[in-house]
Amino acid sequence: MENKELFTVSVFSENTVGLLSQVALIYTRRCINIESISASTCSIPGVHKWTITSWSTRPVMEKLVLQIEKCIDVLKAFLYTDSDIFYQEVALYKVDTDLLLDEPHLEEIIRKYNARILDINRGFTVIEKTGHNSETTALFDELKRYNLRQFVRSGRVTITKSEREFVSEYIEKQNKRKNDTLQGQ
Amino acid sequence: MKITGAEGLIKSLICEGVDTVFGYPGGQIIAVYDKLYDYQNEINHILVRHEQGAIHAAQGYARSSGKTGVVIVTSGPGATNVVTGLGDALMDSTPLVVITGQVSTAFLGTDAFQETDVVAVTQQLTKWAVQIRRPEDIPGAVARAFYIASSGRPGPVVLDIAKDAQFGLTEWSHEQCRFIRSYNPTPEIPEEDINEIAGILNNAERPLILAGHGITIANAEHSLLEVAEKGNIPVATTLLGRANLPFSHPLHKGMLGMHGNIGPNIATNKADVILALGMRFDDRITGDVSKYAPQAKIIHVDIDPSELNKIVRASKSVHGDAGKLLASILPLMQYRDRKEWLALFDKCDTTEISEVISHELHPDKEEMNMGEVIDVVSEMAPADTICVTDVGQNQMFAARYFRCRSPRSFISSGGLGTMGFGLPAAIGAKIGAEKRPVVLFVGDGGLQMTIQELGTIMTYNVDVKIVLLNNSFLGNVRQWQELFFNARFSQTQMHNPDFVRLASAYGIAGEDVTDRSMLSDAVKRMFEHDGAYLMNVRVDAKDMIFPMIPAGGVVDRILLNPTTKFSI
Ligand SMILES: Cc1ncc(C[n+]2csc(CCOP(=O)(O)OP(=O)(O)O)c2C)c(N)n1
């Protein structure tokens, strides 16, 4: 077996009902677990961007991306590995305030991890950290000492390192096609 | 003036050029049926006997006519009964618009009577599936449905229309859809690619064209013939591409795959260039992919980009219409002699004829073989006959021995291999091409999967010639049991009714053919008979379909019979 890598798929789609399950089933069919997923509007009006991460191999992922693009309401889907993109995740940690206040190196930890304290009350404290998975995991390991009550990490958000904006180019090309088609009648 | 959603639906169908629909009514689609009553002059509704019959008939209709097939069924069981046909149409790229009734919006998600989440069930089996909840959304959805179903790589689309959208009143206007921002069904093939491909073919010593269903869908049979002739390039066809070139054209070297002809399969692994057009390298064609076409530069052209490099890595993959590509390379093609290369096919044919075909067509035993029956039917069939098959040995024998002479004359369930496809598909094929004779080859197993459609034949006087190749076995499975499971015939023997009497109960003429001496007269009677006919031919259950490349085997390791391998 080839070694698996972490892949990020960026999907740009129309905002239609039912598309999520359709895309999810494309992963399911090949028995690929979705590690994380996030979706939101993007800079192009009406277009939604989803970011999906999963462990797999390149040949499989290349085919999967084409099958995602085959969904009618998907504009484009792109396959990335970590070196192609800037990416971030947000993690939140809920720890016991008592234990935290007793910690002599608290400032050091917060600084070292570039974390933020969102809220402190008598019972618990909520800490937020943005970063790569390895970084939020490192802080997770650190905070275990303070009775880590809850931990949650968002899906990944990404921005490409490329100079070109392929989705905008695609939409421009399609608009040209639209004019040609409609004029050609 | 406002009209109901149901009426809007019918008017929109008419705007899309629909004059024939296949369907079955029910509670959640009754409003549409009520309006159909008013439009009987515009729309011919074929009432089938089971919704699976409706969708396979629509598939047959679409494939013989090139138009989009339309199906109308009710919610719940009506909708779930068409699921097999959706899967079949998706695999075999058949344009369908399937309209399902749905419970009223207020009841959605409540497990209401006959509620099924049709969009969820059909999403993976359609090109597009959508639920419509408001009457004003119907025309737009219909227009989009026809555009999606028929363009690019065609496929089935489901419109699930809630009951209140059917009853609700709306202003109606219909405009055909020609553009969807997220969808490009007409990719341009770059000029460089065309020149490059023509160059590769012109320089090839041992080129082979693999012509798939995409050629049929693109109506590019003639371009294929021209390119093949001009370049002097042999052509092999896939199961669904059997009618892409006339059977006896000297450059048509036969069928690819598990039960294909020896020549094309051997040639696949000797070719230096393979031009694969509108085909998807199904595992029934490639066998062991790692040992497939090792010497060839593969050029793969398909309108569906997700097919490119999916199974076989191509040296050159082109996202585009196979027909357009053929038309573009035609002026650039150069004739080359390739005597030695073409002689390879003759050599393979000689062996195939002496070792396989002659035994199949002229057995020295009392029982008849499927192949010889098909051969006689083919001999007597008019030139424009459409051959429809079911699934199993009957299908493979028909693909091998029926000699298609004109475009769109072979209709079979390829990708899904759906038993029960044949009878309703033949009905639809006839309705879609009324002037052409339609012959169905079907096994006793498959016929009984949708045999209720004899009723549809009765009602509409559909002139389908049914050739029942009756071996009282699930023949194909029996063959595998014989070859690979020590002849342990587990659950493959069939206890059959009297088919001719059954047909006769539906007013369909027919006869039993139990002996070779009766065959040609019976076939003659069948073709001369005005109307449907069922010929129940007793064939030998022990007969097996050969040559055979066992599943997962290598394409040039071919069995001529259970114990002999082909060697050149
Ligand atoms: C719906 C369905 N069920 C099961 C199968 C598996 N299957 C493939 S061929 C075959 C036997 C077909 O027997 P019959 O219809 O008598 O045709 P024959 O092979 O004898 O020509 C079976 C059971 C199938 N293809 N489709």
Side-chain angles (χ1 to χ4, degrees):
Chain A
M1 276 312 282
E2 275 177 89
N3 276 341
K4 290 188 176 175
E5 285 182 82
L6 185 67
F7 285 95
T8 300
V9 174
S10 288
V11 181
F12 292 84
S13 78
E14 304 290 359
N15 185 16
T16 47
V17 177
L19 201 52
L20 175 62
S21 63
Q22 213 180 336
V23 171
L25 282 171
I26 294 171
Y27 282 80
T28 310
R29 220 178 137 189
R30 289 183 180 266
C31 204
I32 298 173
N33 208 9
I34 291 177
E35 282 294 314
S36 79
I37 182 165
S38 68
S40 72
T41 51
C42 78
S43 61
I44 308 161
V47 175
H48 273 234
K49 177 177 177 178
W50 335 0
T51 308
I52 307 168
T53 62
S54 58
W55 291 89
S56 187
T57 59
R58 184 166 285 279
V60 168
M61 290 306 295
E62 281 173 351
K63 291 167 200 174
L64 186 133
V65 162
L66 288 173
Q67 285 171 335
I68 292 174
E69 271 193 349
K70 207 167 147 174
C71 300
I72 297 289
D73 289 318
V74 169
L75 291 146
K76 274 269 154 208
F78 300 96
L79 180 64
Y80 301 119
T81 49
D82 288 355
S83 57
D84 307 324
I85 44 178
F86 300 110
Y87 58 96
Q88 288 288 48
E89 289 160 10
V90 180
L92 299 178
Y93 311 78
K94 183 174 172 185
V95 289
D96 281 359
T97 303
D98 284 0
L99 295 174
L100 203 62
L101 290 180
D102 289 344
E103 169 60 54
H105 304 296
L106 177 60
E107 185 208 339
E108 214 173 288
I109 294 170
I110 298 289
R111 259 182 204 289
K112 182 169 146 204
Y113 287 95
N114 206 0
R116 292 205 303 150
I117 292 179
L118 274 188
D119 187 53
I120 303 182
N121 59 41
R122 275 179 235 289
F124 62 83
T125 296
V126 178
I127 298 172
E128 176 205 301
K129 157 131 197 81
T130 305
H132 286 183
N133 191 302
S134 54
E135 297 165 323
T136 51
T137 305
L139 181 57
F140 173 88
D141 291 336
E142 193 93 43
L143 291 177
K144 273 188 205 156
R145 286 190 262 158
Y146 314 107
N147 187 23
L148 189 55
R149 296 199 208 177
Q150 283 186 37
F151 167 70
V152 56
R153 183 157 48 206
S154 73
R156 179 180 269 209
V157 292
T158 63
I159 283 206
T160 56
K161 288 183 179 172
S162 155
E163 265 304 318
R164 289 172 59 190
E165 301 304 332
F166 292 100
V167 182
S168 310
E169 284 177 21
Y170 171 78
I171 290 176
E172 250 166 60
K173 220 174 87 191
Q174 282 289 79
N175 281 339
K176 188 177 166 305
R177 201 174 65 78
K178 178 183 186 178
N179 293 336
D180 294 349
T181 315
L182 299 184
Q183 268 161 22
Q185 357 188 329
Chain B
M1 197 192 71
K2 290 194 171 184
I3 59 172
T4 63
E7 185 167 7
L9 170 69
I10 288 164
K11 284 165 70 96
S12 286
L13 290 177
I14 294 167
C15 286
E16 293 293 338
V18 175
D19 55 18
T20 305
V21 303
F22 301 86
Y24 209 94
Q28 311 302 343
I29 195 77
I30 198 162
V32 171
Y33 273 85
D34 183 61
K35 284 297 161 199
L36 267 176
Y37 202 66
D38 295 333
Y39 286 88
Q40 293 179 49
N41 292 333
E42 288 86 353
I43 292 189
N44 179 22
H45 178 277
I46 307 291
L47 177 65
V48 294
R49 298 300 187 265
H50 184 292
E51 289 89 349
Q52 186 184 358
I55 189 161
H56 292 326
Q59 290 180 270
Y61 174 88
R63 285 170 66 176
S64 75
S65 69
K67 291 167 69 173
T68 299
V70 180
V71 177
I72 303 179
V73 296
T74 191
S75 68
T80 54
N81 273 348
V82 301
V83 166
T84 303
L86 291 173
D88 198 289
L90 185 71
M91 281 277 222
D92 287 352
S93 317
T94 310
L96 294 183
V97 171
V98 178
I99 293 152
T100 58
Q102 182 55 280
V103 300
S104 288
T105 46
F107 289 98
L108 286 170
T110 65
D111 302 322
F113 178 63
Q114 293 190 331
E115 182 194 2
T116 299
D117 188 347
V118 172
V119 171
V121 170
T122 61
Q123 234 173 13
Q124 291 301 91
L125 298 171
T126 51
K127 205 170 158 188
W128 185 56
V130 70
Q131 188 172 69
I132 303 166
R133 302 184 196 85
R134 302 183 309 176
E136 60 268 35
D137 294 339
I138 288 176
V142 171
R144 207 172 135 100
F146 276 85
Y147 177 57
I148 291 171
S150 61
S151 60
R153 176 177 180 178
V157 166
V158 164
L159 299 177
D160 187 43
I161 309 182
K163 196 169 182 172
D164 39 341
Q166 298 169 36
F167 277 98
L169 290 172
T170 178
E171 295 292 344
W172 175 88
S173 76
H174 188 89
E175 198 183 327
Q176 282 199 331
C177 175
R178 287 161 194 278
F179 177 80
I180 294 172
R181 179 168 76 161
S182 53
Y183 175 62
N184 182 4
T186 51
E188 297 288 336
I189 304 175
E191 190 78 32
E192 311 91 80
D193 284 359
I194 290 162
N195 294 329
E196 187 187 340
I197 291 169
I200 296 172
L201 288 171
N202 288 335
N203 286 320
E205 306 270 338
R206 301 180 307 281
L208 179 65
I209 294 177
L210 313 183
H213 196 201
I215 297 286
T216 315
I217 294 166
N219 296 314
E221 292 92 346
H222 190 67
S223 303
L224 173 68
L225 181 121
E226 286 184 309
V227 166
E229 285 181 350
K230 192 164 176 211
N232 197 28
I233 301 175
V235 178
T237 47
T238 65
L239 176 69
L240 297 193
R242 286 303 277 150
N244 286 338
L245 265 193
F247 184 92
S248 52
H249 189 283
L251 287 169
H252 190 177
K253 300 301 183 189
M255 181 166 74
L256 294 163
M258 180 178 277
H259 296 296
N261 295 102
I262 296 175
N265 284 321
I266 291 290
T268 298
N269 277 13
K270 294 204 185 299
D272 62 348
V273 171
I274 286 179
L275 175 62
L277 299 169
M279 56 85 73
R280 56 186 181 83
F281 295 104
D282 185 87
D283 50 272
R284 283 290 186 267
I285 280 186
T286 62
D288 182 349
V289 179
S290 70
K291 302 200 173 75
Y292 182 79
Q295 309 186 31
K297 187 173 224 174
I298 296 177
I299 306 163
H300 189 189
V301 185
D302 205 286
I303 194 81
D304 176 357
S306 75
E307 289 299 346
L308 302 172
N309 298 314
K310 186 183 82 175
I311 304 291
V312 167
R313 200 148 266 282
S315 314
K316 173 101 202 136
S317 42
V318 179
H319 174 208
D321 179 300
K324 274 195 206 160
L325 180 101
L326 284 169
S328 319
I329 63 171
L330 179 62
L332 307 173
M333 293 305 297
Q334 291 161 8
Y335 186 89
R336 285 195 51 181
D337 188 41
R338 303 195 175 101
K339 234 195 208 101
E340 215 178 305
W341 175 232
L342 293 169
L344 169 74
F345 295 92
D346 297 338
K347 215 167 147 196
C348 293
D349 281 353
T350 308
T351 310
E352 186 168 342
I353 290 168
S354 67
E355 300 302 311
V356 182
I357 297 174
S358 65
H359 301 301
E360 179 62 28
L361 299 188
H362 312 288
D364 44 13
K365 62 177 178 186
E366 210 172 290
E367 299 97 327
M368 280 182 282
N369 283 334
M370 287 193 188
E372 65 176 309
V373 178
I374 293 164
D375 183 61
V376 171
V377 174
S378 180
E379 194 56 41
M380 297 198 184
D384 58 342
T385 300
I386 298 174
C387 167
V388 182
T389 83
D390 203 72
V391 166
Q393 290 183 315
N394 61 85
Q395 174 184 39
M396 291 298 123
F397 277 115
R400 285 178 55 80
Y401 294 102
F402 190 87
R403 297 180 284 280
C404 294
R405 281 170 280 177
S406 42
R408 290 188 185 269
S409 57
F410 189 80
I411 296 176
S412 188
S413 164
L416 207 63
T418 306
M419 281 173 71
F421 172 86
L423 183 64
I427 294 170
K430 181 69 192 176
I431 294 170
E434 278 178 327
K435 297 209 171 68
R436 299 178 66 179
V438 172
V439 173
L440 166 69
F441 296 103
V442 59
D444 46 302
L447 180 61
Q448 291 181 81
M449 283 210 173
T450 45
I451 198 161
Q452 73 286 344
E453 300 309 330
L454 290 176
T456 308
I457 292 181
M458 171 180 72
T459 302
Y460 299 96
N461 285 318
V462 189
D463 183 356
V464 174
K465 311 301 185 196
I466 303 165
V467 181
L468 171 56
L469 299 165
N470 188 345
N471 52 14
S472 295
F473 262 96
L474 300 175
N476 218 11
V477 182
R478 185 192 191 281
Q479 172 166 349
W480 285 49
Q481 289 172 332
E482 169 121 35
L483 292 175
F484 311 120
F485 293 90
N486 296 320
R488 286 151 50 91
F489 300 122
S490 174
Q491 301 300 322
T492 43
Q493 191 159 14
M494 277 279 167
H495 184 196
N496 284 327
D498 181 335
F499 288 106
V500 171
R501 276 178 61 201
L502 191 62
S504 144
Y506 284 100
I508 297 170
E511 65 184 291
D512 290 312
V513 181
T514 48
D515 190 85
R516 182 170 291 116
S517 62
M518 306 160 71
L519 182 62
S520 64
D521 284 347
V523 174
K524 191 155 177 278
R525 274 191 294 277
M526 176 177 82
F527 279 118
E528 279 171 0
H529 180 78
D530 183 17
Y533 203 85
L534 186 141
M535 215 171 76
N536 176 31
V537 194
R538 171 127 308 280
V539 293
D540 184 6
K542 296 187 294 303
D543 186 23
M544 288 196 256
I545 177 101
F546 279 100
M548 179 173 190
I549 301 162
V554 183
V555 287
D556 58 5
R557 288 196 213 141
I558 302 170
L559 290 174
L560 298 173
N561 57 50
T563 51
T564 320
K565 280 212 180 87
F566 171 77
S567 64
I568 205 158

